[in-house]
Amino acid sequence: MPLALIYARSENRCIGRDGELPWRLPDEFKHFKRTTMGRPIIMGRRTYEDHNNLLPGRTNIVLTSRRDFEPAEGVLVRHSLDDVLCEFDDGAGELFVIGGAGLFAAAFPMAQRVYETVVHAEVDGDTFLPDFDFSGWTHTVLEEHPADERHAHAFTVRRYDRVR
Ligand SMILES: NC(=O)c1ccc[n+]([C@@H]2O[C@H](COP(=O)([O-])OP(=O)(O)OC[C@H]3O[C@@H](n4cnc5c(N)ncnc54)[C@H](OP(=O)(O)O)[C@@H]3O)[C@@H](O)[C@H]2O)c1
């Protein structure tokens, strides 16, 4: 079953600022939680350190070059994306890359599916997503969420599937 990327980006492709998300969008977080629940999630060391704890109900895998890296209890550490793919692809469900930027870029050529949230705002930040080429992919709009009292920005969730 496919390797999948899941991320939220602004119109100007920002995904992070000062080690955090540059927005607070509770329903977008619910989508992330619902989509990844029960599945292995792969994250870079900085993304892991940003929340510094296990995301419950999922196999948490941190990628780092550091051989002496000590994560919280229950978090797995690995040193190469290829090793993770060999070890955790159970053929049954998706294996999720959840960030950050470098890991998304490394994983995109191998991904079969991308869950992309576009936050409809231009945002200042320090971490940006590369421009992915989705030619040869199809996409489906999963959700159009308006701005409201709990969400400062509207957002759109799409699922891209690689067809070739
Ligand atoms: N909007 C979103 O959807 C989203 C999602 C995730 C994160 N973020 C944001 O993005 C920012 C963090 O992302 P980032 O790009 O700075 O860092 P990151 O990708 O989370 O972490 C980078 C580190 O991960 C390790 N790493 C990455 N790829 C690896 C590989 N292929 N093999 C071995 N180790 C690998 C390396 O750790 P070592 O240096 O230890 O070797 C590298 O320095 C934060 O602001 C966070 O909030 C946003």
Side-chain angles (χ1 to χ4, degrees), residues 8 25 30 34 47 49-50 77 91 94 103 119 128 134 142:
L25 299 169
K30 277 187 198 157
R34 191 170 57 239
T47 294
E49 286 179 341
D50 293 345
V77 175
E94 291 156 311
L103 195 48
V119 178
F128 290 83
F134 282 114
L142 301 182

Side-chain angles (χ1 to χ4, degrees), residues 63-82:
L63 276 181
T64 175
S65 60
R66 299 183 186 177
R67 297 283 156 175
D68 58 352
F69 187 71
E70 290 189 18
E73 196 179 338
V75 175
L76 305 175
V77 175
R78 296 294 183 270
H79 305 290
S80 117
L81 186 56
D82 284 342

Side-chain angles (χ1 to χ4, degrees), residues 36-66:
T36 58
M37 190 51 67
R39 299 302 311 158
I41 51 174
I42 312 162
M43 70 202 88
R45 191 253 314 155
R46 282 188 218 127
T47 294
Y48 167 71
E49 286 179 341
D50 293 345
H51 51 80
N52 204 21
N53 215 338
L54 189 79
L55 289 176
R58 289 149 279 191
T59 304
N60 287 225
I61 305 155
V62 179
L63 276 181
T64 175
S65 60
R66 299 183 186 177

